[in-house]
Amino acid sequence: MPTAVTSPAPALVDVVERTVAPSAAEVDRTGAFPRADIDALAGAGVLGLLSASEVGGAGGSLADVAVTLERIARADASVAMVVLMHYAAVSVIESHGPDDVRRAIAAGEHLSTLAFSERGSRSHFWAPVSTATAADGQVRLDAAKSWVTSAGEADSYVWSSRPVTAEGPMTLWLVPASTPGVGVVGEFDGFGLRGNASRPMAADGALVDTSARLGEDGAGLDVALGAALPTFLVGNAAVSLGLMEALVEEAAAHLTSTRLEHLDQSLAEQPASRLAYAALRTRVDLTRAFLTDTLAALGSGREDATLRVLQVKAVAAEAAAEVGDGVMRLCGGAAFRKELGIERRYRDALAARVMAPTTEALHDFVGRATLGLPLFGGA
């Protein structure tokens, strides 16, 4: 498995520059789902990145995912989050889903997402309270999902529930968006990531075929931990990194172009500004090094690969929040103007901290893993 790629594909760069970046401010202002951006990315092969070559996909790696998401997030993190949640769902579908859906995803004709977080267990995605019950040869789903990215916009949902009959914490299902009884039950007017349609959804007596099950009954947590979670955690770190790169780029442009006329010097020539910028630049580079090491650990099967995966989102999320705050302070009043894009990216950067699994939950996992305790003991 490749562990690194040097640059994003030219087709991706073209779509980001031509479509995603110009619409980012408007997506943030209105909170509208970025359908035109997603369609353009689909046409460039982005949705099929993780699909196997045998179904017409690119057969990409997590390193490819990281480069792709970072590039999109530099322009618009809302769009990057939609793509990230699609990749997390595809990681499960590729292993356990039907070939027709896999081929549609590979062709860029199908958008999927995860439907894990629930009102009853909140950010503890590993403990669903929604139910799945046998019903005349089918399965009835009843649920109150609290946060579903691309809710009402995706073509399918990788949906968690309690098992039907088996032991275990959860079972996963591939639920078509057209399933009667499944729908959006609220709106999203968020502080950041305003265009990712992260809305509550419900299932009220929704019936799916038993063939919709992804993996064995009761084995959903193992499937999620083995497939969806690494993709989500690594991809989320890449989104945070993209935001940080955009923030320090904005800061550098401001410092080099803004002058103190009474001194005939740029802000970059002021020692205090220069030192503050250097600290922020270094924090970004440290985060990139950690993400690169995580990908290397995964690619080589290193003994600490699981630990790095558990750490990488927390490392990047906290760094992005702190870099965003630092850039806001460094650029002063100018950073509050929406046309610079700094305050938008700062708001977007804060979301990763509270996105399940939260920074606190990941720190607990890391503590448990390194102290010889069960990962989910008592959770």
Side-chain angles (χ1 to χ4, degrees), residues 98-308:
D99 279 354
D100 60 333
V101 175
R102 293 176 62 208
R103 291 186 183 281
I105 290 170
E109 298 169 352
H110 187 107
L111 179 70
S112 194
T113 192
L114 299 182
F116 281 9
S117 298
E118 298 186 357
R119 186 179 304 165
S121 51
R122 302 183 67 81
S123 63
H124 294 192
F125 73 89
W126 54 90
V129 297
S130 64
T131 58
T133 54
D136 297 326
Q138 294 183 294
V139 175
R140 170 178 171 149
L141 300 177
D142 291 280
K145 300 290 182 179
S146 53
W147 299 95
V148 180
T149 298
S150 306
E153 302 287 348
D155 298 296
S156 67
Y157 303 93
V158 173
W159 189 281
S160 64
S161 74
R162 289 178 176 173
V164 180
T165 59
E167 296 295 324
M170 72 182 188
T171 296
L172 298 182
W173 310 89
L174 183 61
V175 178
S178 59
T179 303
V182 171
V184 176
V185 292
E187 295 303 318
F188 175 64
D189 186 9
F191 177 72
L193 296 180
R194 288 175 45 76
N196 73 344
S198 188
R199 299 181 287 186
M201 295 188 70
D204 184 8
L207 296 176
V208 296
D209 292 334
T210 56
S211 61
R213 194 178 66 218
L214 298 166
E216 297 300 318
D217 189 30
L221 182 58
D222 290 338
V223 173
L225 292 178
L229 193 63
T231 301
F232 173 74
L233 295 178
V234 168
N236 200 286
V239 172
S240 291
L241 182 59
L243 282 165
M244 282 187 277
E245 288 286 6
L247 282 162
V248 294
E249 182 179 341
E250 291 270 16
H254 177 72
L255 293 179
T256 55
S257 65
T258 304
R259 301 190 64 78
L260 296 173
E261 293 186 6
H262 66 295
L263 299 177
D264 192 27
Q265 292 180 339
S266 69
L267 293 182
E269 294 176 276
Q270 308 308 302
S273 296
R274 193 164 59 248
L275 293 175
Y277 174 80
L280 295 170
R281 179 67 261 177
T282 301
R283 188 69 185 274
V284 177
D285 292 340
L286 286 169
T287 304
R288 181 176 298 282
F290 198 97
L291 176 56
T292 300
D293 184 68
T294 300
L295 291 167
L298 285 167
S300 63
R302 226 168 60 197
E303 185 177 351
D304 62 346
T306 298
L307 180 62
R308 286 290 177 267

Side-chain angles (χ1 to χ4, degrees), residues 316-349:
E318 294 307 307
E322 292 169 18
V323 167
D325 180 66
V327 170
M328 288 289 292
R329 296 169 64 186
L330 178 60
C331 296
F336 284 77
R337 298 204 306 266
K338 288 184 178 293
E339 60 265 27
L340 289 186
I342 292 175
E343 60 86 30
R344 167 171 59 86
R345 292 183 170 98
Y346 176 48
R347 286 185 283 107
D348 289 347

